[in-house]
Structures are given as structure tokens and as C-alpha cells.
Amino acid sequence: MSELSDHSDTSFAPGDEGEHDVGARVLGYVIGLALALLLTATSFFVAGTTLVWQPSIPVALIVLAIAQMGVHLVFFLHITTGPDNTNNVLALAFGLFIVFLVVGGSVWIMSHLNQNMPPMDQIMRMQ
Amino acid sequence: MLGKLTWSAIPFDQPIPLVAGGVVIVALLAVLIWVVVKGHLPYLWREWITSVDHKRIGVMYVLLASVMFLRGGSDAILMRIQQAIAYQSQGYLPPEHYNQIFSAHGTIMIFFVAMPFVIGLMNLVVPLQLGVRDVAFPTLNSVGFWLTATGALLVNLSLVIGEFARTGWLAFPPLSGLVYSPGVGVDYYAWSLQISGVGTLVAGINLVTTVLKLRTRGMNYLRMPMFCWTTLASSLLMVAAFPILTATLAMLLLDRYLGFHFFTNEAGGNVMIFMNLIWAWGHPEVYILVLPAFGIFSEVVSTFSGKPLFGYRSMVLATMAICVISFMVWLHHFFTMGAGPDVNAIFGIASMIIAIPTGVKIYNWLFTMYGGRIRFTTPMLWSVGFMVTFIIGGLTGVLVAVPPADFILHNSMFLVAHFHNVIIGGVLFGAFAGFTYWFPKAFGFRLDERWGKAAFWCTFIGFYVTFIPLYAAGMLGMTRRMQHYDVAVWRPWMIVAVIGMAILTMAVVCQVVQLVVSIRNRESLRDRTGDPWDGRSLEWATSSPPPVFNFAISPDVRGEDAYWEMKAKARQQQFAHAQPEYQDIEMPRNSPTGFVCAFFASIMGFALIWHIWWMVILGLIGAWATFVVFAWRDHDEYVIPAADVARIDRANIEERRNLVSLAGSV
Ligand code: HEM
Ligand SMILES: [Cu+2]
């Protein structure tokens, strides 16, 4: 059915671009793999280290995780900003937006759940 | 060897489920034997079970939904009768049975009636409206359908082997935890939703991709029929929301199977997060259901008013606005959980805002009708009935979205009336409108109008007689899900409601009779042109039923209402169009992948429910192997030669020409 879709728009599915030669593509994957491994190793290192200020560890892990997602999107899922990628970028934006709404909303809701409860010491005194 | 499964799982002491189950099994066996003896099995296998044709799969979805509708409807009758007689008495249903019935009713109606019905219609119609030959992933489509069927099978199995959940259709912990629900009921519930949830996700991905990537020449976004837009919005919601349901149920299952404590307060978990997550799926879910219905009404109203849809662009905008806002309101289902005034106020306001795009749609439909030459056919009746009914449901929705009001109405019969008001008046009316509207496209003959109208009026009147009393009972303080009660003022309303239920039952009978009568009279109801309603979009440009490849020549779209313009042009040119050049068409081969996958998934689901671990592994390996075999296949397409295409297409063109010249309306 590809002869139909050619007319409607020109964007490709991730990994379906086809125009690069094999060597360039393999190189892309190798770079991606190396970066992904590097980020993973760093995460493991950071998690166990005593060299840095301890409260910064969770923040560092979050940053590394987000970088990891970026590497996957660019090198393995081939998200680019080119005009042939509009659908993919829009889909990603939609996904991020929903994740933001659901996660952000849940955190906000859950952190307010005890609003209508008397403070803990009051409960203790009542017993 | 068989895990928890013993003879005591079969409820020999409970006559109702046993007899009901027995009757169903006998009926199934009878149908099966008839099919085998008559030699229809090879035909069914080749043309339906292994079919990857979106039209066939769409029809099977709708068939599944219709059968499950009878099951869910029987539950409803049982419950209404119970509440009519259980005043200061136990009624005829013991509590543990009553609880299973309302849980099964909700689960079935949402997941196995409303969902497959709208997904089926989208499957059937959207590729035709887009002018293409199939959905983006035909085999995956079949997998999705069969997994949904697996879920339905497991739910029905619980009737005779074991029990169903007694927790309500959303299985809130701690009630659904092991402590309060040690039986297999919740496991039946959770595994059937997990398996059918995969099917729904797959269907969503497929439809999104189809709309985004497979449109015929010239069909740009702002020329798509409204139904394609609402399909896009609804499927985007499926893709975004169903993973939340899957994750939430997975956590519940981990709690139940492996002793996790996501939802045990005493062990550091939090039951509230279940409520939060399940509704983060649950509210988008109601829009997954109702958006396609909005699309159906848009098509029906503009066709039978003989006018283009009023405010097409505002309609597109409203659809996409609903799609996004529906992810910002979920807390309105648990205002009373105690998140405090700030959170409640924000979510309350967001919930009211969602009524605005919905209102825009209502006005657009009204203005589409205004000044049109309206034909009150059955689909049009459903649409007008919808507008009236849905406005009432929307208004009570906005009412319960006001937090102080909701503190009084939450979990009352008022709430029950609200959501039946929107789901019956919106989704079900939409499904029936779509059913009668597109039936001729799928089968090549129209449905009987007299019985169709009778079905509409019985549903319409029956709905009000059943559910207005529930609003009243709710305001008198009656809570939902009561097995018996002692308050005298509620009684009369329950009795009126059961009368309404009787009228609704008549409506279902009318639907069945309509189908039988129409099949009998199919020759006189035959649709030879492919365009029985004087339609406007591309599905009417091909024959009824369409050939496997839908369109001999991919249509070339020049504006909104593509087919309407083609017809206008053809009339001007006195049908003197040039002989088109036909080409070979490649179509995807049929594949048993979906059916086999679902077969193993059923085994796996059943084994998981009963803790039969060797069988779980068997099912898992089977499903995996099926997938691998499919992934390694070589031939996935076959060719229909140009000559065949030409023959089929010319026959259809000839029919159309004859009919138009017979009518003399050129
Ligand atoms: C204007 C639009 C709507 C608003 C403002 C609205 C608001 C609400 C609110 C606030 C509740 C929770 C009430 C409570 O639990 O106390 C509710 C429940 C519900 N609504 Fe709506 N609603 C709207 C439209 C719809 C639509 C279109 C559907 C379905 C197609 C729907 C289906 C439901 C269902 C199923 C429930 C109850 C679920 C349960 O507790 O079991 N609503 N609605
Ligand atoms: Cu809601």
C-alpha cells in the first residue's frame, strides 16, 4: 500500500528511512550503543559512590536517565527534527505531554491527600 | 497438577449461574455442531477466522459486542428485579451473587460491549472513508480482535468455573486484595482485562497509524470525514491511556500473586494511588468510547440533512480539545478522597471546561440540521434521540463535577443515572446509529426500517423510564450497589425502573427481530449501488459489500465531502468518464496468527487464574512461537490481477448507471 501513502505525506516510520548506506547506519548504531553503555555504567558508578555529595545522587541519576532516553530516541528510534519526521516528533510531544500530565497530576494529588486529616499529633491525643 | 482448580469450583449449589451457563454451553455446542455438520467450517476458517480484511474484522468485533450485550443486559435485568423486590427482604439474589452480577455487568458493558462495538465500526469504516485498501497493520488487527475475544471468553468462563469479582467494575483495593477477596474472582477480572487490554492497545496503534499514514491521494487532514478525526482522537487516547490500566492492574496482580504491597497501607503501600491511577485511565476511557460516537452522529446528521457538516473546522478543534482535556479531569471521580479544596477546585473547573467543546458539537449538529431536508431514517432517529438525551447526561455530569455537590451525590444512584445517561444516550445510541447506517455497506442490504424505528422508540422511552427514577432515588439518598434496603420512599422508584427495564428488553427483542426480518427480506432491501443513503464520504463510492481491495482505483480527493463532489461532477458529465486503467493489486494474505495467539493466550490466562504453572508456561511458549513463526514468514501478500479488478469494478459501475437512469434523476 506504500504507493498510496507516498502521495499523502512524506514522513517515514522510525528506522525506515532507507536512503543511507549500510556503513553509515551501522556506525550510527555503534555510537548509540557506546553512549548508552557509557551512561549505564556512569549510573551504576554514581549510585554506589561516596565521592560526591550524597543528596545530589538522585538528581544525577535522573539526569543520566533522561540523557539515556535521548540517546535511544536519536540513535535507535531515529527521531530527527527534519521535515520527514513531523509525525514522529508530534507523537513524541504528545506522549511527553500526557506523561507530564499524569505523573505531575498524580504527584500533586497524592501529596495533598491528607489535607482534610487532622495533624498526626492531634490524632494521637484523641486516642 | 491443576493448581487451585477442583470440582468445588463448579457452582453445583447455585442454580442460576449453572442453568445460565448450561444453556449457553448447549447453544454454543449446537452452533458448533451445526457448523461442522453443514461443512461451513472451512469457509469460516478461510473467510473469517483467519481473515485480515479490516471489514471482516470490524464485523466480528461488532458481533462480539452484540453477543456480550445480551449477556450484560441479562445481568441488568437480574439487578433491576432484585432491587424492585428486595425492600425489607433479601430478594432472590444472595449478596455474594448480587455483587458478582454488578461487577460483571460493568466490566462487560464497558470492555466487551462498548469498546468492541466502537472499535469494530472504526475498523469497518475508517479505511473506506480514507479511500485506502486496508489498515496499516492487517495481521496485528486480527491479533487485536482475537485477544479481545479471549478476554470475553474468560469473563464468561467465570460463570461456570469459579466465580467473578465482587468488587465492582474497577476492583478497588483493599477490597480486591487477597485479604478480602481470596477467591479467583478478581483474578478472572484482572487477567481478562490484561489480555483484552493488549488487544485494545494494538487496535489503537493500528488506527492511529492508519489515519496518519494511509490516506488516499488528496485526502489531507482537513478533508477527512469527521468520523476519521474522532477515530484519530479516540485511538490516541487508547494508546496513551491503556498502558496506565495495564500498569495499575499489573501492580494489583503483583500484590495478589507475589505478595507485593503497592496497595497495602499497613505495609507501606497506599490504596489511594490505585484510585488515582485507575481513574487516570478511566476518564480518558469514557471519551475513548464517546468520541467515535460523536463522529458517527456527525456523519449521520450531515447525510440525512443533505448538507455538509456545519462548522467542520470547529468540530475538528473541539474533538482534539476533548482529546487533550480528557486527560486533565480524572480527579473528579474521587473528590471525596480528601485532596483538599485546591486540588478539588482545579479539577472541578477542568471538568466543567470539557463541557464547552461538547456544547460546540451539539450546536454544530443542530445547525447542520437547520435548513436541511431532513430524512428521519433509523440512524437519524438515534442521532436526534442522542442529542436530547446526552444534553441531560452532560448537565448532570457538570453537576457532579461541582465538588460540594459531589460530596452529596458521590456513589449514589444519581451518579449511576448520570453515567448511564451519557453511556447509553451517547455511546450506545451512537453504536446503533452506526450499525443501521453502515449495515448496508457491510452486507449489501438495508435493515428493516419499521423494526429499526420500533427498537429506537423502545430504547428511548425505556431509557427514561429506567433512569430518571434512579436520579430521583439518588437524591433521596439511595447509594449504588445495594443488595437490599429498608427505606420505603425508594421503593416506588425501583418499581418504575423495573418497568423501564421491561421496555428496554422489548427494544432488544425489536433489534433481534429487525435483523431476522431484514435477512429474510434481503432481496427487496438489496443495495445495488453501494450508496443507499445518498452519502457524502468515500465509503459510499464503492460497492456494498465492497470488494476485498475496497477501491479498484484509488480515489482522488479534491475537497471535503469527497464522494458528494464526485457525484455532482459525474452528473454534470452524464457519466461519460474515461475508461480507467486498472492495475494489479497486492493484498495481505490471510493469517491464523491472531487466532492461534489468542488460543494460547486463553490457555495462559486460564492457567494464571487457577495457578496451574506448567500450563502458564505452555501458553506463553505457544503464543511466543506463533509470533516468531509469523515474523519469519516469507509470503505475506498475494496479487489480484488487473483483469479481475476491472471485471468487478465494471459490474458495479454498470449497476450504478442502471439505477440512476431507472430513477431518471440524472
Ligand atoms: C460534560 C461532561 C461530563 C462531566 C462533567 C462528567 C462528570 C463526572 C463526574 C464528576 C463523575 C464522578 C461522580 C462521582 O463519582 O461522584 C462522573 C462519573 C462517571 N462518568 Fe461522567 N462526566 C461527563 C461526561 C461523561 C461521559 C461522556 C461519559 C461516558 C461516555 C461519562 C461516564 C462516566 C462514568 C462511567 C462515571 C462513573 C464511574 C464509576 O464511578 O463507576 N461521563 N462523571
Ligand atoms: Cu470522568
Side-chain angles (χ1 to χ4, degrees):
Chain A
M1 220 150 301
S2 49
E3 79 273 7
L4 288 182
S5 52
D6 289 346
H7 302 284
S8 49
D9 61 293
T10 50
S11 83
F12 292 103
D16 222 21
E17 295 84 353
E19 71 243 35
H20 307 292
D21 64 310
V22 179
R25 301 189 67 168
V26 171
L27 187 66
Y29 284 111
V30 171
I31 297 178
L33 182 64
L35 283 176
L37 285 176
L38 185 70
L39 286 168
T40 310
T42 320
S43 309
F44 272 100
F45 170 74
V46 167
T49 185
T50 50
L51 290 178
V52 298
W53 185 51
Q54 293 302 304
S56 71
I57 289 181
V59 182
L61 286 177
I62 291 172
V63 172
L64 286 166
I66 292 175
Q68 182 76 267
M69 289 183 224
V71 168
H72 280 240
L73 287 172
V74 172
F75 290 95
F76 303 148
L77 297 175
H78 305 286
I79 302 280
T80 67
T81 50
D84 61 344
N85 241 288
T86 333
N87 276 339
N88 300 335
V89 172
L90 276 178
L92 182 65
F94 179 73
L96 284 177
F97 180 61
I98 298 296
V99 168
F100 167 78
L101 282 180
V102 172
V103 174
S106 298
V107 169
W108 187 48
I109 292 169
M110 295 308 290
S111 63
H112 279 70
L113 269 186
N114 295 336
Q115 282 249 318
N116 290 344
M117 302 273 270
M120 208 53 197
D121 51 315
Q122 257 181 47
I123 299 181
M124 297 308 264
R125 246 180 289 132
M126 282 189 306
Q127 282 166 352
Chain B
M1 185 65 183
L2 286 180
K4 300 205 289 189
L5 187 58
T6 59
W7 280 112
S8 63
I10 300 187
F12 290 112
D13 51 336
Q14 291 170 30
I16 297 176
L18 207 63
V19 171
V23 169
V24 172
I25 290 175
V26 169
L28 273 181
L29 275 181
V31 172
L32 213 67
I33 291 172
W34 181 78
V35 164
V36 174
V37 169
K38 284 276 186 172
H40 292 315
L41 201 59
Y43 165 78
L44 276 184
W45 176 260
R46 253 184 299 116
E47 297 291 323
W48 293 89
I49 295 175
T50 62
S51 176
V52 297
D53 180 342
H54 70 95
K55 302 177 284 296
R56 295 274 163 92
I57 293 177
V59 169
M60 289 193 290
Y61 263 118
V62 171
L63 184 67
L64 174 72
S66 311
V67 172
M68 292 305 282
F69 181 59
L70 299 181
R71 160 82 210 271
S74 320
D75 289 341
I77 296 173
L78 293 179
M79 287 188 290
R80 279 284 126 254
I81 295 177
Q82 168 75 9
Q83 287 199 325
I85 56 184
Y87 167 62
Q88 290 190 337
S89 77
Q90 282 294 314
Y92 71 111
L93 291 174
E96 73 277 2
H97 192 185
Y98 184 75
N99 294 357
Q100 286 183 47
I101 292 181
F102 69 63
S103 308
H105 169 77
T107 311
I108 288 173
M109 285 302 199
I110 296 284
F111 293 96
F112 300 112
V113 177
M115 286 298 284
F117 216 126
V118 296
I119 293 180
L121 289 175
M122 294 193 282
N123 244 306
L124 173 69
V125 176
V126 165
L128 290 169
Q129 286 196 334
L130 295 173
V132 297
R133 303 221 155 101
D134 211 324
V135 288
F137 311 111
T139 312
L140 201 63
N141 203 10
S142 150
V143 174
F145 166 72
W146 285 108
L147 288 180
T148 310
T150 293
L153 176 74
L154 287 178
V155 170
N156 284 321
L157 215 54
S158 73
L159 201 62
V160 273
I161 308 179
E163 52 165 6
F164 196 67
R166 303 169 190 186
T167 53
W169 74 287
L170 285 178
F172 293 157
L175 181 58
S176 59
L178 265 189
V179 179
Y180 298 102
S181 297
V184 292
V186 176
D187 302 324
Y188 263 115
Y189 164 86
W191 287 116
S192 52
L193 294 197
Q194 290 295 58
I195 294 173
S196 68
V198 175
T200 308
L201 182 64
V202 159
I205 293 173
N206 208 343
L207 287 164
V208 172
T209 320
T210 305
V211 175
L212 292 184
K213 306 289 289 187
L214 298 185
R215 283 165 281 119
T216 186
R217 219 169 303 129
M219 178 66 84
N220 57 30
Y221 288 121
L222 284 176
R223 288 176 185 169
M224 292 197 303
M226 206 50 223
F227 186 59
C228 295
W229 270 106
T230 57
T231 297
L232 175 64
S234 168
S235 338
L236 279 173
L237 287 177
M238 279 183 221
V239 175
F242 265 80
I244 309 179
L245 176 70
T246 305
T248 313
L249 291 179
M251 284 187 258
L252 181 66
L253 286 168
L254 284 172
D255 276 10
R256 288 180 62 87
Y257 278 71
L258 297 177
F260 282 44
H261 293 291
F262 288 110
F263 307 126
T264 341
N265 280 351
E266 301 77 48
N270 192 336
V271 283
M272 307 297 208
I273 192 80
F274 184 95
M275 250 57 90
N276 174 65
L277 286 177
I278 203 106
W279 284 117
W281 159 82
H283 189 84
E285 164 68 10
V286 306
Y287 280 93
I288 292 173
L289 294 176
V290 87
L291 279 173
F294 288 171
I296 295 169
F297 296 125
S298 304
E299 303 294 317
V300 168
V301 168
S302 104
T303 299
F304 292 109
S305 305
K307 283 174 64 188
L309 190 64
F310 182 91
Y312 172 80
R313 284 175 187 234
S314 65
M315 209 70 148
V316 171
L317 209 65
T319 304
M320 294 325 272
I322 291 177
C323 176
V324 172
I325 304 175
S326 69
F327 256 107
M328 303 187 193
V329 300
W330 75 93
L331 179 123
H332 68 209
H333 293 274
F334 48 95
F335 282 137
T336 52
M337 207 158 84
D342 298 346
V343 177
N344 278 1
I346 298 280
F347 277 95
I349 292 167
S351 311
M352 295 171 208
I353 289 177
I354 210 168
I356 296 172
T358 316
V360 168
K361 284 176 170 264
I362 299 268
Y363 282 112
N364 279 339
W365 290 315
L366 290 178
F367 283 125
T368 307
M369 288 168 65
Y370 180 76
R373 285 174 63 192
I374 301 173
R375 287 171 285 159
F376 279 104
T377 54
T378 313
M380 191 63 184
L381 282 183
W382 288 113
S383 306
V384 177
F386 149 80
M387 286 183 227
V388 178
T389 312
F390 196 80
I391 289 173
I392 301 174
L395 285 177
T396 58
V398 173
L399 185 61
V400 283
V402 179
D406 188 60
F407 271 70
I408 299 169
L409 296 171
H410 181 54
N411 273 353
S412 70
M413 287 308 253
F414 190 93
L415 165 77
V416 174
H418 154 68
F419 70 73
H420 284 89
N421 204 160
V422 278
I423 292 186
I424 295 180
V427 184
L428 209 64
F429 280 23
F432 289 150
F435 178 74
T436 29
Y437 183 56
W438 283 308
F439 187 91
K441 186 43 66 185
F443 293 104
F445 57 95
R446 275 171 290 122
L447 287 170
D448 186 89
E449 280 283 310
R450 281 235 327 251
W451 284 102
K453 286 183 177 159
F456 166 75
W457 284 110
C458 286
T459 313
F460 189 72
I461 296 168
F463 166 77
Y464 283 97
V465 179
T466 312
F467 288 96
I468 297 296
L470 300 197
Y471 278 123
M475 284 193 280
L476 291 169
M478 183 171 182
T479 52
R480 74 197 286 192
R481 295 171 178 165
M482 291 179 111
Q483 186 258 344
H484 72 278
Y485 55 92
D486 301 322
V487 180
V489 286
W490 298 344
R491 184 85 200 278
W493 297 113
M494 293 303 109
I495 291 174
V496 179
V498 84
I499 296 171
M501 193 68 229
I503 305 178
L504 283 172
T505 312
M506 268 158 50
V508 176
V509 173
C510 288
Q511 300 264 24
V512 175
V513 174
Q514 177 198 32
L515 207 58
V516 174
V517 167
S518 314
I519 293 176
R520 279 243 186 106
N521 301 342
R522 61 184 175 282
E523 279 318 317
S524 58
L525 292 167
R526 183 74 65 196
D527 160 35
R528 299 193 185 284
T529 57
D531 181 20
W533 313 116
D534 200 7
R536 315 179 71 83
S537 41
L538 283 179
E539 75 267 34
W540 309 112
T542 181
S543 61
S544 303
V548 252
F549 47 81
N550 291 352
F551 300 95
I553 305 280
S554 298
D556 194 356
V557 176
R558 298 281 159 77
E560 282 168 43
D561 283 343
Y563 181 51
W564 188 260
E565 284 177 19
M566 284 181 195
K567 277 194 286 193
K569 217 167 95 197
R571 272 199 206 100
Q572 271 174 6
Q573 301 172 350
Q574 304 282 332
F575 292 91
H577 51 197
Q579 278 295 330
E581 243 181 70
Y582 296 103
Q583 280 171 347
D584 292 355
I585 294 178
E586 279 183 5
M587 291 304 293
R589 252 174 216 284
N590 284 354
S591 161
T593 307
F595 185 77
V596 178
C597 241
F599 173 78
F600 285 114
S602 310
I603 291 185
M604 189 178 81
F606 183 79
L608 279 164
I609 290 162
W610 292 101
H611 296 219
I612 312 173
W613 304 119
W614 60 266
M615 212 156 123
V616 175
I617 296 169
L618 196 80
L620 200 63
I621 293 178
W624 173 250
T626 317
F627 168 74
V628 171
V629 170
F630 172 72
W632 252 265
R633 80 211 185 287
D634 294 326
H635 305 289
D636 54 351
E637 289 189 330
Y638 68 101
V639 175
I640 304 173
D644 289 358
V645 177
R647 186 171 42 74
I648 295 173
D649 195 43
R650 292 215 179 99
N652 179 240
I653 293 178
E654 203 48 41
E655 286 279 10
R656 277 175 202 245
R657 212 172 285 173
N658 286 344
L659 209 93
V660 176
S661 44
L662 269 184
S665 67
V666 187

